[in-house]
Structure formats: structure tokens, C-alpha cells
Amino acid sequence: MKMIEAGGVDAFSMRKLAAELGVGAPTVYWHVGNRDELFNRLIGEITDQFGSISPRGSTPAERIASISNALLREVRAHPQLIALSRTQGRGEAIFTKAQAVLAHELTASGLHGEEAAFAVATILLHLGGFIVLEDALSPDYRVRGAQVWAQSDAEIDETMSTMLRQEVDLDRIFRFTLHAILLSILGEPNGSDERTIEK
């Protein structure tokens, strides 16, 4: 995983792995199989790690939010994870065990049947969509075009104009939208709000 994180999935080779380990390439093939087999084993290991995430919080909303936040942190810490999973045609495979953890939390919150299934899909699409969007944005993302019109627009106040031209707080947007989804799915989350849902 360290090699993939350092050079990317495409640059990884069994020959480079053998050199890193100080052994011949045949030894690596003998012990771990080919590149695809190695990647599938690595994906399995990551899937297990994600499935061991422990929900935190005192309300269902806080516990469910903690799962999404933990997964987002893991993907941010290891940006090559999605690319690795995609190379094996497994897309979101790394989240399969975490999906079960999420489903159990939603069931514990009182949701069942179609309503619970819809909730799982909604939360996962929110997380996945955010991961894909964040990956596509520049690190200092700003509202596109605001630099052109916001400063000279007399119909908006100065604070709004200034804020529109600054970097967007993606963490705040993620928490805000996740809170709105959980509020809609679970109802009033026992006094929790976007600020108290785990960062």
C-alpha cells in the first residue's frame, strides 16, 4: 500500500515490489500470486479494516454520522484506495463491510424494510459522491465564477461577496449535508445539530 500511495496504482509492478523486498520476482509471484491477486488481497484487507469501524456517539444520528466521517477520513488519508479498487472492477468494494455496519446502525435506530434500504443507499451515495467530487476539485476550490461577479454585485452584501471568493469549507459542507440527510431520514436527531455531529 505504501508503494501504491507513493507512486500510484499504474506505476506499481511486481518487479518493483520484489526490489523493495530485496528478493527476486519469482519469489514474490510464488508467495502472493500475480498483480491482480495481490490487489484483490489488499482490497480484502482494506475492506476488513473499514468493516471494523466502531460507530461513536450517543444518538443514532451521531453514530451514523461517525461512520461516514470515519470512512471519509480513511479515503482522504489513502487517496489511492478508490483507484486501486477500480482497477479490479470492484468500484466501491472496499466499503462492503462498512455498509453492513451502517445498515445495523440504521436498524438499531428503528428503521426497517424499504425505508432502511433507502437510507443506506442515500448515505452511501452522499459519501461516494462527495469523495468523487472532492477528488476532482482543486485543493483551494472556490465557487466558480464568483471572482468575476461577486465583488461588483451591488445586490449582495459585502460579507457574502467576500466569502464567495474564498476557499469553500468542504468539511463544513459535508457535515451540513449529512446532517440534513440524517434529519430527513431519522427525524429530529435528539438535539444533535450539524456542529455536534462528529467532525
Side-chain angles (χ1 to χ4, degrees):
M1 194 65 217
K2 286 179 185 175
M3 291 178 68
I4 291 170
E5 292 292 348
V9 175
D10 293 337
F12 179 88
S13 72
M14 299 301 274
R15 186 176 292 119
K16 287 179 183 176
L17 177 60
E20 181 76 19
L21 295 172
V23 298
T27 303
V28 173
Y29 283 106
W30 174 261
H31 286 285
V32 298
N34 63 30
R35 185 177 188 256
D36 284 343
E37 290 173 302
L38 180 62
F39 281 3
N40 281 325
R41 288 167 118 186
L42 186 53
I43 290 168
E45 201 171 292
I46 294 162
T47 301
D48 289 344
Q49 288 173 9
F50 282 8
S52 66
I53 288 172
S54 297
R56 298 183 339 197
S58 57
T59 68
E62 289 171 350
R63 291 175 62 80
I64 292 165
S66 76
I67 297 167
S68 287
N69 283 299
L71 291 170
L72 181 59
R73 276 193 307 273
E74 285 296 322
V75 171
R76 283 175 169 171
H78 306 287
Q80 292 293 330
L81 288 180
I82 303 302
L84 172 64
S85 190
R86 219 181 282 130
T87 63
Q88 301 309 103
R90 295 173 65 180
E92 71 283 358
I94 55 174
F95 297 119
T96 52
K97 291 190 178 179
Q99 291 170 359
V101 174
L102 177 61
H104 296 158
E105 283 299 317
L106 285 161
T107 298
S109 78
L111 293 182
H112 302 284
E114 185 180 341
E115 188 179 22
F118 179 78
V120 169
T122 300
I123 293 166
L124 289 172
L125 281 170
H126 173 259
L127 173 65
F130 194 86
I131 288 168
V132 170
L133 179 63
E134 189 176 58
D135 183 57
L137 298 176
S138 63
D140 65 341
Y141 176 73
R142 296 153 199 264
V143 174
R144 290 184 187 273
Q147 287 74 20
V148 175
W149 61 267
Q151 190 168 6
S152 59
D153 193 323
E155 293 185 33
I156 63 173
D157 62 72
E158 187 178 331
T159 302
M160 180 180 181
S161 173
T162 301
M163 295 303 292
L164 280 170
R165 289 178 283 121
Q166 292 179 2
E167 289 179 31
V168 173
D169 185 345
L170 294 175
D171 288 332
R172 183 176 178 200
I173 291 172
F174 182 75
R175 289 192 309 270
F176 178 84
T177 52
L178 180 60
H179 171 69
I181 289 168
L182 293 175
L183 184 63
S184 178
I185 289 170
L186 301 172
E188 185 58 41
N190 301 328
S192 296
D193 66 19
E194 174 253 319
R195 291 180 302 274
T196 60
I197 286 179
E198 183 210 358
K199 296 178 181 178

